[in-house]
Amino acid sequence: MRKRSDSGILMLLFAFAVMFFAVTANYFHIAEKQEYVAAASERSELTITSAEPRGTIYDRNMCPLVNAETEYRAVVVPSAVDRETAASCALDRGQFMLRFDKGEPFAFDCKGDTESSAGLTVFEVPRRYGREQLAQHVIGYISDGVGVDGIERAYESILHDENAADSVTYQTDGFGRVLIGEGKTVTESGIERSGVVLTIDRDIQRICEEEGSGIGKGAVVCADVKTGDILAMASFPSYSAENVEEAVSDESCPMINRCLYSYSVGSIFKLVTACEALNEGMGGYIYDCGGSIDADGQIFNCHLLSGHGIQSMSVAMKNSCNTYFISLSRMLDIAAYRGLAYSLRFGRENYLCSGITGSAGVLPTVRQLEIPAELANFSFGQGRLTATPLQITQLVCTIANNGKIPVLRLIRGLTLDGDSISGKKNPQLSQVMSEDSAESLREMMIYAIEDNPNANARAKYVSVGAKTSTAQTGRCDSDGEELCNAWITGFFPADEPQYALTVMIEDGGYGNETAAPIFSAVADRVTREVE
């Protein structure tokens, strides 16, 4: 009887244990389910950034130089769209599929005809650089979203706002799952409407780049003679902001802005020599060029070895006679001569904005110019003297603007809305040569083109005044021939000058042969195409 009783007790205890574990398991299941329900009921937000636009760099007429083209980006929630339908909208289908299969919302580049839906939000965003980007050396480029060169760097704080982004915000549950039925908040930054306004004229910049496209290495600069506003600043060769690594390794150094670099200038400087002679009352100086001249034992040859014969200043300027100007320079007050060059900004930097400054070049000292050979070289722009295309353009602005030299400007102001400009400043002008001297120099430059049947600077649709240079560099090519920089600078229209234009070609040979045709082409197109 006892054994039967013990067996019953054990069975009863086992039954109670089974019931206890069943109740306990059910309790934890209910608790876990309640916790799951509680977590699912918690709400949060998820923000996906589609793009981080930058402010725009505008030309003088509020035409965008960047952000001018459009592309499209979309934010997708994989759980809320059909996989194949969404993939058909992607520009990179393979990359899209890889990201889609992870199940998390993401942004991708899409086609322009993609339509938004509850799970797909499309943004029209500006493409930073155009496929044929203008003024690349002026604009500079960005890396990892930060400006590292040009205007992009100088105005980084204006063009970039780390809090400005195009994005979509979704409601999510406690497990991070997007609640499509709860709607979404779409944010467009609008920062691209604000930005920096340059003095560059997009149409003139385009003309200069197109006409100068055959230049191997060189520069074309165009400025408003009355204000000093830089209307075009083209450096060759150019580069792509989207392929900087290739540009860095290119032996032609395309990332150098040659408008800011100084070079031997040659005969263009005869304008300064003539100006000082006019200031000192020697505008009527006559000289008989025999083809060479002795400067304290050093012989200087004229480019016409047989000599130009008897010449006035205007004829010598047209013939670009070296010996005339060497002889003329001996009559001048050296300190005043050098002082005039300095007042015309030779030997001084042109600051345009942070990080964009034209080189000062080299202006010999008075003591150096007291050496006869040094003075002889200086008189026709050789020897130690170097200058930038900017400085030469500034010289022509002065001659064309009745002796008033303008401070060159690249920045016109800032804008918040892409319509109005703030921070505009008036032109800064200084009288550095008399109106009479400026008029005489203009007449010489016009005469040098109009009275010369071989002048390639003569334009079809507008009258011009100009001076060419073939500047020796002291370097030779593989055949032993000396390399020369080809220059031309001038103004147009001749009767009422509006534009100053300079073309410089490194190792370009004769200015009249290589630089002058570009000058005339630009002058014609600006006259006909720019209002």
Side-chain angles (χ1 to χ4, degrees):
M1 289 292 294
R2 185 174 180 82
K3 289 182 180 180
R4 189 177 296 174
S5 176
D6 290 343
S7 176
I9 293 171
L10 289 174
M11 290 295 292
L12 185 60
L13 289 173
F14 178 76
F16 275 120
V18 171
M19 292 176 62
F20 174 79
F21 283 115
V23 171
T24 302
N26 187 54
Y27 171 80
F28 281 111
H29 175 72
I30 293 173
E32 182 181 12
K33 186 174 181 180
Q34 290 176 337
E35 182 179 349
Y36 182 90
V37 171
S41 66
E42 292 181 2
R43 298 297 176 88
S44 185
E45 291 184 343
L46 173 66
T47 298
I48 303 296
T49 297
S50 170
E52 296 182 355
R54 288 171 66 86
T56 297
I57 301 171
Y58 295 93
D59 85 338
R60 66 186 293 103
N61 299 311
M62 303 306 293
C63 297
L65 293 170
V66 297
N67 293 346
E69 300 176 15
T70 298
E71 54 191 10
Y72 297 86
R73 283 182 63 79
V75 174
V76 63
V77 179
S79 63
V81 298
D82 177 72
R83 184 173 184 267
E84 290 301 320
T85 301
S88 67
C89 301
L91 295 183
D92 188 337
R93 179 183 175 88
Q95 183 65 25
F96 176 89
M97 296 295 249
L98 290 174
R99 299 193 66 184
F100 188 95
D101 291 341
K102 293 180 181 180
E104 299 176 355
F106 64 95
F108 66 98
D109 295 324
C110 68
K111 299 175 183 178
D113 58 357
T114 304
E115 295 184 0
S116 292
S117 64
L120 189 67
T121 306
V122 180
F123 291 87
E124 182 177 336
V125 298
R127 177 186 174 93
R128 189 60 181 173
Y129 303 116
R131 291 169 178 82
E132 295 182 1
Q133 180 61 54
L134 290 174
Q136 185 67 73
H137 291 88
V138 175
I139 289 167
Y141 63 95
I142 57 177
S143 179
D144 296 327
V146 178
V148 295
D149 191 38
I151 297 297
E152 295 279 28
R153 177 184 178 184
Y155 287 88
E156 170 68 14
S157 62
I158 301 295
L159 299 171
H160 180 223
D161 182 351
E162 60 184 15
N163 296 316
D166 294 341
S167 63
V168 187
T169 299
Y170 301 97
Q171 294 292 319
T172 63
D173 63 21
F175 295 97
R177 297 176 302 193
V178 173
L179 301 174
I180 290 296
E182 299 297 323
K184 59 188 177 184
T185 301
V186 178
T187 301
E188 297 184 8
S189 70
I191 189 175
E192 61 269 20
R193 289 189 290 274
S194 65
V196 183
V197 184
L198 306 184
T199 60
I200 296 292
D201 184 295
R202 184 179 64 177
D203 293 332
I204 297 178
Q205 180 75 29
R206 173 178 49 80
I207 290 169
C208 289
E209 291 190 18
E210 289 176 355
E211 295 302 329
S213 61
I215 294 176
K217 298 178 183 179
V220 179
V221 176
C222 184
D224 185 312
V225 301
K226 296 187 182 301
T227 65
D229 285 353
I230 297 173
L231 305 174
M233 194 160 71
S235 179
F236 305 93
S238 191
Y239 69 96
S240 170
E242 296 177 349
N243 199 352
V244 173
E245 290 185 2
E246 179 180 311
V248 170
S249 60
D250 191 326
E251 292 183 356
S252 64
C253 302
M255 297 187 73
I256 291 177
N257 188 344
R258 288 173 166 83
C259 301
L260 308 177
Y261 273 57
S262 58
Y263 301 87
S264 298
V265 298
S267 294
I268 286 172
F269 196 75
K270 291 171 182 173
L271 293 167
V272 180
T273 305
C275 184
E276 179 56 30
L278 291 169
N279 291 346
E280 296 186 27
M282 289 187 287
Y285 184 72
I286 302 296
Y287 176 75
D288 186 1
C289 170
S292 64
I293 190 170
D294 187 318
D296 196 29
Q298 184 170 337
I299 303 299
F300 286 84
N301 293 318
C302 189
H303 66 86
L304 184 64
L305 295 179
S306 60
H308 289 104
I310 297 176
Q311 298 179 98
S312 64
M313 185 179 290
S314 292
V315 174
M317 188 71 73
K318 181 189 75 170
N319 292 332
S320 201
C321 178
N322 290 345
T323 60
Y324 176 95
F325 288 95
I326 292 173
S327 176
L328 179 62
S329 68
R330 295 172 177 175
M331 312 291 177
L332 304 179
D333 181 308
I334 292 177
Y337 182 21
R338 199 263 183 193
L340 173 64
Y342 185 76
S343 69
L344 288 167
R345 303 294 302 186
F346 288 91
R348 302 162 73 178
E349 292 182 340
N350 272 303
Y351 175 84
L352 302 180
C353 67
S354 177
I356 305 182
T357 300
S359 167
V362 176
L363 178 63
T365 65
V366 170
R367 187 168 184 176
Q368 289 168 336
L369 292 177
E370 289 173 346
I371 301 171
E374 192 67 52
L375 179 62
N377 271 315
F378 187 66
S379 70
F380 62 99
Q382 291 289 173
R384 299 174 186 269
L385 179 73
T386 62
T388 67
L390 285 179
Q391 288 169 311
I392 298 302
T393 304
Q394 197 167 25
L395 166 65
V396 174
C397 283
T398 309
I399 294 170
N401 195 31
N402 297 315
K404 296 178 181 178
I405 189 168
V407 173
L408 295 183
R409 305 190 303 183
L410 179 62
I411 308 301
R412 193 171 179 211
L414 304 177
T415 184
L416 290 175
D417 55 12
D419 292 318
S420 57
I421 305 174
S422 63
K424 290 191 292 186
K425 297 181 179 179
N426 293 325
Q428 299 179 53
L429 302 166
S430 302
Q431 193 81 42
V432 295
M433 68 174 70
S434 70
E435 292 188 9
D436 288 343
S437 293
E439 182 179 5
S440 295
L441 293 174
R442 288 198 302 274
E443 291 174 352
M444 289 181 209
M445 295 173 74
I446 295 169
Y447 175 69
I449 303 302
E450 292 186 350
D451 196 61
N452 183 356
N454 298 317
N456 290 324
R458 186 181 292 107
K460 294 180 181 179
Y461 304 105
V462 64
S463 57
V464 307
K467 180 72 187 80
T468 59
S469 277
T470 301
Q472 296 172 297
T473 65
R475 296 178 291 105
C476 296
D477 62 18
S478 58
D479 296 325
E481 295 292 327
E482 184 173 22
L483 296 171
C484 296
N485 295 329
W487 289 83
I488 186 171
T489 192
F491 55 84
F492 63 95
D495 51 349
E496 294 184 8
Q498 182 178 354
Y499 302 101
L501 177 65
T502 299
V503 180
M504 187 281 300
I505 307 175
E506 282 188 35
D507 306 334
Y510 293 100
N512 186 52
E513 293 180 3
T514 59
I518 296 173
F519 178 97
S520 62
V522 171
D524 273 336
R525 288 189 60 186
V526 169
T527 300
R528 302 187 74 189
E529 299 176 23
V530 179
E531 295 182 359

